[in-house]
Amino acid sequence: MATPTPPHRWPVPVGETWTWTPPVGAGIGPDHELSLEISWCEEPSTSAPLTSAAPLAVVLIHGFGACKEHWRHTLPSLGAHLPTYALDLVGFGNSSQPRARLADEQSDHHSLHYGFELWGAQVAAFCREIVGRPVLLVGNSIGGVVALRATQLLNADAGPSPCSGLVLIDCAQRLMDDKQLGRQPAWMAWIRPLLKAMVRQRWLSTALFRNAARPALIRQVLRQAYPSGAHVDEELVDLLYRPSRRPGAAEAFRGFINLFNDHLAPDLLAQLDLPVHLIWGEADPWEPVTEARAWAGRFPCIRSLQILPGVGHCPHDEAPELVNPLLLAIAEQTSRPQQMPDQRAPDQQAT
């Protein structure tokens, strides 16, 4: 494969729409059916030998509050060499945003239980029905957990689109999950029941969302997430702000902030034998790089850890000039599994 093209402002491609009905257990109850509109886009390879016969496609999975356009610097760079897709998870971007149903609330034909089982099933179905070839899944933040669960689902049954490898970019550690309580300060156990009772109230979750979904606050959060300040521009603020104005956006927020018992990345990593690569911003304010180092030493499936100095929670957008070559190299390596190393690569720092 050739050297990746340098990052540039992405002329957003015309999005496609795919209708998906979640299976029972992935967000909906028994005897219920809910058709969802999933927004996605593709950057097909411009290299003739790879366009139709590429051995591998890349599927990009965004993080919480983001959307497919957050891969604005990744899609064109990777898409110049192999088919590359990005999709909006249910509840985000331009995908459907049904009414949120919490785990203990009554199921109906119009509501959905948001969570990693739903999003994992969505990505797995997308790979089978739209991509139709082996995939390298790349997830940022909660998109990393989604990628891990989707991999399990894809590889549990034979099909046209097995997962050949994963890249987790600053994968979410989900410290507020009940299973993580032992890692929280002692006082958290006391306020936790009150916190959980409050955030389930729709009036409160909607008020919290509306306060957060303001351009000024989005810029403030981005300055935390992107410590270097690189690529924090009006295009970025707008692509994150626009989906928040949709009528159902607050429902996905309610569903997510009530996920207190769901999949955790370490549990999923422990069950994988596919190659997993970690890319991490050393200055991530929310997902400490110390945990990434611990995962790399703990799980045999992790083949490499690339730490990017001075970079935060979204390296693919903050430092695409560092991340894109890494992704392309991993894709090339993954497409030729017989050449994968027999042992994990050491912790490396990219400069």
Side-chain angles (χ1 to χ4, degrees):
M1 292 183 183
T3 302
T5 53
H8 60 278
R9 185 173 293 270
W10 180 31
V12 181
V14 177
E16 302 283 348
T17 301
W18 164 58
T19 301
W20 176 57
T21 301
V24 172
I28 62 172
D31 303 320
H32 289 169
E33 187 170 292
L34 186 63
S35 292
L36 303 171
E37 297 298 311
I38 306 301
S39 180
W40 62 279
C41 61
E42 176 188 10
E43 282 280 346
S45 171
T46 56
S47 302
L50 295 180
T51 301
S52 60
L56 187 78
V58 178
V59 176
L60 306 169
I61 309 167
H62 64 77
F64 175 70
C67 54
K68 61 185 180 297
E69 288 82 8
H70 199 206
W71 299 101
R72 57 186 176 154
H73 298 305
T74 310
L75 266 164
S77 184
L78 268 63
H81 304 283
L82 73 167
T84 305
Y85 301 78
L87 73 164
D88 289 330
L89 297 175
V90 176
F92 300 100
N94 289 316
S95 287
S96 292
Q97 299 173 325
R99 184 176 176 86
R101 175 181 60 81
L102 304 188
D104 60 349
E105 293 178 337
Q106 185 175 358
S107 178
D108 59 48
H109 290 277
H110 307 288
S111 64
L112 189 69
H113 178 61
Y114 289 95
F116 294 98
E117 200 63 32
L118 168 74
W119 294 319
Q122 175 195 343
V123 171
F126 177 82
C127 292
R128 292 185 180 119
E129 297 182 27
I130 302 298
V131 181
R133 71 181 84 200
V135 295
L136 172 69
L137 297 182
V138 179
N140 172 232
S141 192
I142 69 163
V145 185
V146 174
L148 287 164
R149 180 55 184 148
T151 296
Q152 287 186 323
L153 296 172
L154 281 170
N155 292 356
D157 301 306
S161 193
C163 180
S164 299
L166 299 95
V167 182
L168 309 182
I169 303 177
D170 292 66
C171 183
Q173 296 164 32
R174 304 199 55 247
L175 293 178
M176 290 303 293
D177 193 281
D178 289 341
K179 298 182 288 296
Q180 301 270 39
L181 188 57
R183 303 178 61 182
Q184 298 295 322
W187 54 264
M188 180 60 73
W190 293 93
I191 70 166
R192 201 171 174 79
L194 176 61
L195 172 67
K196 294 168 76 169
M198 291 179 63
V199 297
R200 67 182 290 117
Q201 305 302 316
R202 184 168 269 107
W203 66 268
L204 178 59
S205 65
T206 300
L208 291 171
F209 177 77
R210 293 304 174 201
N211 179 65
R214 295 180 292 117
L217 190 57
I218 291 172
R219 289 189 194 93
Q220 181 179 333
V221 172
L222 287 170
R223 284 194 288 269
Q224 287 183 301
Y226 293 53
S228 71
H231 301 127
V232 177
D233 49 32
E234 289 307 307
E235 179 186 63
L236 177 59
V237 173
D238 184 61
L239 71 85
L240 297 177
Y241 174 67
R242 275 185 290 106
S244 73
R245 309 319 302 159
R246 298 181 61 208
E251 290 297 311
F253 179 80
R254 178 179 186 252
F256 180 77
I257 64 174
N258 280 279
L259 288 182
F260 291 105
N261 186 21
D262 211 316
H263 290 295
L264 296 176
D267 297 338
L268 296 170
L269 285 166
Q271 302 173 45
L272 281 183
D273 57 8
L274 291 174
V276 178
H277 301 270
L278 304 182
I279 298 175
W280 222 276
E282 190 173 35
D284 189 329
W286 304 318
E287 310 295 347
V289 72
T290 52
E291 188 70 7
R293 289 192 173 103
W295 291 357
R298 177 180 171 189
F299 300 110
C301 63
I302 295 178
R303 303 299 179 86
S304 67
L305 167 60
Q306 295 283 350
I307 298 174
L308 309 182
V311 179
H313 186 61
C314 306
H316 61 288
D317 195 57
E318 184 181 2
E321 70 282 358
L322 299 179
V323 174
N324 289 344
L326 295 175
L327 292 177
L328 189 60
I330 292 169
E332 182 179 33
Q333 191 179 51
T334 304
S335 67
R336 295 179 285 126
Q338 70 277 9
Q339 296 186 17
M340 289 294 293
D342 293 330
Q343 59 185 15
R344 286 171 288 165
D347 178 354
Q348 301 175 44
Q349 287 201 347
T351 55

